[in-house]
Amino acid sequence: QGEGRGFRTTNGTGAGLSDGNHSVSFTNWSGWMATGPTTVMVQADTVHEETAQYIKAATLKVTIQPADARAGGRWRIRNSNQADLWRQSGVTVLSIPPGTWTLEYTAINGWQEPTATEIDIPEGGNLEKEGTYVRTALATPANVQATDGTYTDRIEITWNAVAYATGYRIYWSDTGDFG
């Protein structure tokens, strides 16, 4: 593609260009990636030939574990030049340039995210990675209170809710021995 002139087919010719430097880029196609754009010097009544080098694109699929972390967990890759979008578990990213990338995960409240890791993505590679979130310890219920003789047939116990708790276990004993 010449500046503002659209893509041409193989062996296309760009006529009518003014003298001077022009940027030429090549399109990606069907699993192949063109190397970056190049600048060519155009002079009247001369022909300049430019060739593209293509590399086989890589793919990456990341699965987040365990299943109940997938609702909030996201992943992305980044390198020194760019950062990818945050993606859901099981999504496959196509057309990744080869190189060293950092695989990162979002923080989720109540979970410890996987540690960011460097991955080497080879030309044409089809990689699958897995990131495992770990539940963090839940807080101890605060403001625990129990009735003291208010009722003759029961004891009422109250406390502040704990984030991400799905239930509570209450133990009692007449002797104070919970072993």
Side-chain angles (χ1 to χ4, degrees), residues 33 55-58 96-101 121-124:
M33 301 176 72
I55 56 175
K56 183 78 172 147
I96 302 171
T100 300
W101 294 79
I121 298 181
E123 182 177 337

Side-chain angles (χ1 to χ4, degrees), residues 30-101:
S30 189
W32 292 87
M33 301 176 72
T35 55
T38 187
T39 301
V40 296
M41 173 61 143
V42 174
Q43 294 177 329
D45 301 321
T46 62
V47 174
H48 181 86
E49 185 175 302
E50 193 63 38
T51 305
Q53 177 182 356
Y54 281 84
I55 56 175
K56 183 78 172 147
T59 65
L60 173 65
K61 177 181 178 180
V62 177
T63 303
I64 291 174
Q65 298 293 354
D68 53 345
R70 292 179 188 154
R74 300 288 182 272
W75 65 273
R76 75 174 179 186
I77 54 172
R78 67 172 174 78
N79 64 17
S80 59
N81 298 322
Q82 67 189 55
D84 193 27
L85 303 172
W86 289 108
R87 300 182 186 275
Q88 294 180 332
S89 177
V91 170
T92 300
V93 177
L94 308 173
S95 299
I96 302 171
T100 300
W101 294 79

Side-chain angles (χ1 to χ4, degrees), residues 1-170:
Q1 171 186 3
E3 294 170 347
R5 298 191 181 255
F7 285 99
R8 292 175 172 73
T9 60
T10 301
N11 298 324
T13 303
L17 296 172
S18 61
D19 286 357
N21 289 328
H22 292 267
S23 178
V24 177
S25 58
F26 300 87
T27 187
N28 298 335
W29 59 275
S30 189
W32 292 87
M33 301 176 72
T35 55
T38 187
T39 301
V40 296
M41 173 61 143
V42 174
Q43 294 177 329
D45 301 321
T46 62
V47 174
H48 181 86
E49 185 175 302
E50 193 63 38
T51 305
Q53 177 182 356
Y54 281 84
I55 56 175
K56 183 78 172 147
T59 65
L60 173 65
K61 177 181 178 180
V62 177
T63 303
I64 291 174
Q65 298 293 354
D68 53 345
R70 292 179 188 154
R74 300 288 182 272
W75 65 273
R76 75 174 179 186
I77 54 172
R78 67 172 174 78
N79 64 17
S80 59
N81 298 322
Q82 67 189 55
D84 193 27
L85 303 172
W86 289 108
R87 300 182 186 275
Q88 294 180 332
S89 177
V91 170
T92 300
V93 177
L94 308 173
S95 299
I96 302 171
T100 300
W101 294 79
T102 301
L103 176 58
E104 301 175 315
Y105 300 88
T106 57
I108 309 173
N109 198 6
W111 295 87
Q112 175 62 52
E113 70 270 16
T115 303
T117 56
E118 282 194 352
I119 55 174
D120 289 318
I121 298 181
E123 182 177 337
N126 295 308
L127 283 75
E128 291 194 22
K129 298 289 182 181
E130 189 172 278
T132 302
Y133 283 78
V134 177
R135 277 261 189 222
T136 55
L138 297 177
T140 301
N143 198 26
V144 177
Q145 297 180 5
T147 57
D148 186 11
T150 304
Y151 305 101
T152 58
D153 60 341
R154 68 183 183 274
I155 298 172
E156 187 173 290
I157 303 171
T158 60
W159 58 88
N160 294 348
V162 175
Y164 302 102
T166 58
Y168 301 90
R169 289 189 181 159
I170 299 171

